[in-house]
Amino acid sequence: ITLNSDQLVNVFKLNEYPYQLSSGSNHYVLWYNCQNKPYSYDQINLDIQEELSKISNNFQYVWYENPSMSVPEIYHVQVFFIIL
């Protein structure tokens, strides 16, 4: 992902270092091409829902902004979901 581009973009991908989760759970990361939170948490929710709808029409998810980001230069959130 390239920082400081003229257009805000996000990338939703499987976490390369996933947390230990119960079977059937998924751990992804939603990356943005900026350093700070790009907009409201409501909009981030919409971005996550849009990405998850590409995988399934029936899911449940939670997400959080890690206060100790491993890559603080690039804004990202941890997303955990299950397919129902």
Side-chain angles (χ1 to χ4, degrees), residues 30 44-53 61 63 77 79:
L30 181 62
I44 292 171
N45 261 316
L46 291 174
D47 288 347
I48 293 168
Q49 291 169 13
E50 180 179 333
E51 293 298 327
L52 287 173
S53 69
Y61 73 96
W63 67 274
V77 297
V79 181

Side-chain angles (χ1 to χ4, degrees), residues 1-3 7-17 27-39 44 47-48 51 64 66 69-79:
I1 192 161
T2 303
L3 291 177
Q7 183 178 6
L8 180 65
V9 295
N10 64 55
V11 174
F12 189 63
K13 64 183 281 188
L14 184 64
N15 189 325
E16 293 179 18
Y17 307 99
H27 183 186
Y28 276 56
V29 179
L30 181 62
W31 298 90
Y32 290 91
N33 64 330
C34 58
Q35 185 171 6
N36 299 310
K37 183 175 72 154
Y39 35 59
I44 292 171
D47 288 347
I48 293 168
E51 293 298 327
Y64 80 100
N66 191 335
M69 291 185 185
S70 57
V71 185
E73 307 82 40
I74 304 174
Y75 185 79
H76 59 285
V77 297
Q78 307 294 317
V79 181

